[in-house]
Amino acid sequence: MRNIARIMGVPVDKGSLVDATNRIKELLNKDGCSQVVTPNTEIVMSAQEDKELLKVIEEADLVIPDGIGLIYASKIKKKGLTERVTGVDLMAQILNYCNEEEKSIYLFGGKPNVANMAAENILKKFPNIKIAGTQDGYYKAEDEEKIIDSINEIKPDVLFTALGAPRQEKLIYKYKNILKVKLAAGVGGSVDIWAGTAKRAPEVYQKLGLEWFYRLMKEPWRYKRMLVLPKFMIKVILTKDI
Ligand code: UDP
């Protein structure tokens, strides 16, 4: 039984990284393609307008709170989310489990060669994982179905998409009824972190809930998108029940 909190109408699974990892193990051992989504504050705000995105999250099999804003909102409105569970950390747990069970993964997204570099580094840390395939995220729209067909020929256990949110989530949703994978997760920039082309915020930022600030310093052009964070917090404070 899932234990769900609703943040502005968006369902999020309550629990820790360990709980999320246990759920992953369950999903990897069941039939069909399960979808994992990792919304942050920006995605929750987008889902207020974007009904397709809301549906994707509603129908996902695991939704982790990958944004400190969601945890603050939950604390203020007593929604029961206790800790942030990041996509980067969950991806590491999935990889660890795949290594133990000798499962296969497919990396789909990122700039040309990024997925290959990520695969190499993943193999160094998790040598029992099978890299089923890689594909960059800068393909022609008309090639999308061919890519899905080639994934289906290989039948990897796990498909990671890194095409930017919410595109990577919508792509999984669009094909999940025909995808021959056990688990599919949009992991965005995590593939860049594995490839070494991006760095995760130092632990001190993570601990202080300031990972967003580190990202803002590294990628200042994102500031417009990030203005949604204060908007979200103001909405949380001014709305009686989010
Ligand atoms: N990306 C991609 N194809 C695109 C746009 C982005 O493969 O057309 C990749 C990009 O190279 C990066 C990942 O998507 O590896 C995440 O991008 P971004 O940081 O914009 O993600 P977001 O924060 O929006 O999830």
Side-chain angles (χ1 to χ4, degrees), residues 42 109-111 114 136-138 162-165 167-168 188-189 191-192 215 219 222 225:
E42 211 181 311
K111 298 211 170 90
V114 164
D136 71 67
Y138 294 82
L163 304 163
R167 188 175 149 210
Q168 60 200 14
V191 171
D192 288 288
R215 190 139 194 212
E219 302 170 41
R222 293 176 78 95
R225 283 173 55 177

Side-chain angles (χ1 to χ4, degrees), residues 1-3 12-27 36 61-65 80-85 89-90 93-94:
M1 260 290 279
R2 286 171 72 188
N3 196 358
V12 183
D13 285 87
K14 292 181 191 174
S16 63
L17 178 62
V18 174
D19 298 320
T21 308
N22 288 334
R23 175 80 176 145
I24 291 286
K25 293 179 187 172
E26 220 177 274
L27 296 174
V36 180
D61 302 276
L62 174 65
V63 184
I64 57 166
L81 297 179
T82 48
E83 60 189 87
R84 187 177 170 219
V85 181
D89 289 331
L90 188 62
Q93 294 297 322
I94 297 173

Side-chain angles (χ1 to χ4, degrees), residues 91-233:
M91 182 176 174
Q93 294 297 322
I94 297 173
L95 292 173
N96 187 44
Y97 182 65
C98 288
N99 189 51
E100 282 170 14
E101 300 289 320
E102 301 188 8
K103 291 193 182 291
S104 58
I105 65 164
Y106 189 107
L107 300 173
F108 177 11
K111 298 211 170 90
N113 213 31
V114 164
N116 290 332
M117 294 193 304
E120 258 177 47
N121 290 329
I122 287 171
L123 271 183
K124 276 183 207 153
K125 182 144 191 222
F126 299 112
N128 297 328
I129 285 183
K130 296 191 188 77
I131 304 292
T134 60
Q135 161 67 46
D136 71 67
Y138 294 82
Y139 54 89
K140 289 198 214 96
E142 62 260 36
D143 289 338
E144 190 173 280
E145 284 182 15
K146 262 190 251 157
I147 296 171
I148 299 297
D149 286 346
S150 68
I151 295 172
N152 276 343
E153 266 167 40
I154 309 172
K155 301 185 188 64
D157 292 302
V158 179
L159 169 66
F160 291 112
T161 55
L163 304 163
R167 188 175 149 210
Q168 60 200 14
E169 287 77 17
K170 288 182 178 175
L171 179 122
I172 293 172
Y173 183 80
K174 181 173 170 193
Y175 293 105
K176 76 174 176 183
N177 289 331
I178 60 154
L179 264 173
K180 293 185 177 139
V181 312
K182 292 280 175 209
L183 188 86
V187 291
S190 301
V191 171
D192 288 288
I193 294 175
W194 276 103
T197 47
K199 269 207 169 69
R200 192 175 180 187
E203 218 162 298
V204 54
Y205 287 85
Q206 294 175 35
K207 287 218 170 102
L208 292 171
L210 288 173
E211 221 166 335
W212 60 272
F213 180 67
Y214 179 83
R215 190 139 194 212
L216 183 61
M217 285 195 302
K218 291 279 165 195
E219 302 170 41
W221 56 90
R222 293 176 78 95
Y223 85 93
K224 268 208 181 123
R225 283 173 55 177
M226 292 178 76
L227 285 175
V228 76
L229 269 111
K231 264 197 206 153
F232 171 85
M233 286 318 297

